[in-house]
């Protein structure tokens, strides 16, 4: 979690989980008791909400739970733990955002799957068509392929994020480092990856676990 979220993000969790998170190095963790007054005050600054059996059973945290969009799920059933990004919008607006994001991913992925400049495995092509690739990653590939042939070597899926129905956001491409850099330089800040590792002609890029959809580049 620290790798993807950062140690300084504001997390909310039940007291026992909050203690564990603090011990793991997170520096801004609020133990949630379930009171309505705390929910109202903390909800204005909380970045991430860790949902557990105890928080789901607390009526005072219902609004906070509704505003937290799951980005990772660990375990199954009533004992599962979900890490959710707190989106400060009405539930209907959150659903609309996620619906739009998925539609954009399917549209972008379908176009990429038919791109003659792109070399990918059958499984990755199926992932594209299903909308299973992050829009920012799909846009990067599309721009990279627009100037010549491009090859996706691997797409790394996180099991916990897959369980939360989140798209793949890490991929490895076979390309010259200069081509990768020039492609990224042409993209706006919201499309920049949080981590880039190059080894020879292979570059691995990872985007942050964003929930709020970015606007497609026209």
């Amino acid at each position: 979690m620290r790798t993807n979220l950062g140690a300084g993000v504001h997390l909310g969790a039940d007291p026992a989980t909050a203690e564990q998170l603090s011990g793991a190095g997170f520096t801004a963790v609020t133990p949630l008791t379930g009171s309505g007054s705390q929910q109202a005050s903390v909800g204005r600054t909380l970045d991430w909400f860790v949902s557990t059996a105890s928080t789901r059973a607390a009526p005072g945290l219902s609004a906070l739970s509704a505003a937290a969009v799951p980005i990772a799920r660990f375990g199954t059933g009533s004992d599962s733990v979900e890490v959710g990004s707190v989106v400060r919008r009405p539930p209907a607006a959150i659903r609309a955002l996620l619906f739009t994001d998925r539609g954009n991913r399917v549209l972008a992925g379908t176009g990429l799957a038919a791109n003659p400049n792109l070399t990918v495995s059958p499984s990755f092509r199926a992932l594209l068509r299903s909308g299973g690739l992050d829009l920012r990653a799909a846009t990067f590939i599309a721009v990279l392929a627009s100037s010549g042939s491009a090859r996706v070597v691997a797409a790394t899926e996180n099991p916990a994020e897959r369980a939360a129905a989140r798209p793949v956001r890490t991929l490895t491409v076979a390309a010259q480092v200069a081509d990768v850099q020039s492609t990224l330089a042409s993209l706006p800040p919201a499309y920049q990856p949080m981590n880039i590792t190059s080894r020879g002609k292979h570059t691995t890029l990872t985007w942050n676990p964003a929930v709020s959809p970015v606007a497609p580049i026209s």
Side-chain angles (χ1 to χ4, degrees):
M1 281 178 58
R2 283 179 58 191
T3 301
N4 291 315
L5 305 184
V9 296
H10 188 185
L11 285 157
D14 65 71
T17 303
E19 184 176 358
Q20 292 176 350
L21 291 169
S22 295
F26 287 96
T27 59
V29 184
T30 297
L32 299 175
T33 61
S35 70
S37 59
Q38 184 193 39
Q39 176 179 244
S41 60
V42 172
R44 288 192 289 268
T45 62
L46 208 61
D47 300 310
W48 300 91
F49 174 64
V50 181
S51 171
T52 58
S54 61
T55 61
R56 289 189 288 271
L61 297 176
S62 58
L64 190 54
S65 296
V69 178
I71 59 99
R73 180 179 292 118
F74 305 90
T76 59
S78 59
D79 292 329
S80 65
V81 176
E82 289 184 352
V83 180
S85 173
V86 177
V87 180
R88 292 175 183 84
R89 302 194 185 191
I94 295 174
R95 289 193 295 270
L97 281 172
L98 296 177
F99 180 82
T100 298
D101 181 44
R102 174 163 176 75
N104 288 335
R105 286 190 273 117
V106 171
L107 185 62
T110 301
L112 270 181
N115 190 325
N117 287 345
L118 185 61
T119 301
V120 298
S121 66
S123 61
F124 186 76
R125 200 175 300 277
L127 178 76
L128 288 173
R129 289 174 175 150
S130 71
L133 182 66
D134 188 287
L135 182 61
R136 299 162 298 178
T139 302
F140 165 79
I141 296 173
V143 176
L144 181 66
S146 67
S147 58
S149 61
R151 181 163 65 97
V152 176
V153 178
T156 304
E157 189 173 41
N158 183 302
E161 292 179 16
R162 178 182 59 199
R166 298 305 302 156
V168 172
R169 56 187 180 85
T170 297
L171 53 84
T172 300
V173 296
Q176 297 290 341
V177 173
D179 293 337
V180 171
Q181 292 175 339
S182 62
T183 298
L184 291 173
S186 70
L187 298 176
Y191 281 78
Q192 299 300 317
M194 71 176 195
N195 188 55
I196 306 171
T197 304
S198 294
R199 182 171 298 178
K201 290 186 177 181
H202 287 180
T203 298
T204 299
L205 307 96
T206 299
W207 284 262
N208 65 30
V211 169
S212 298
V214 291
I217 297 175
S218 57

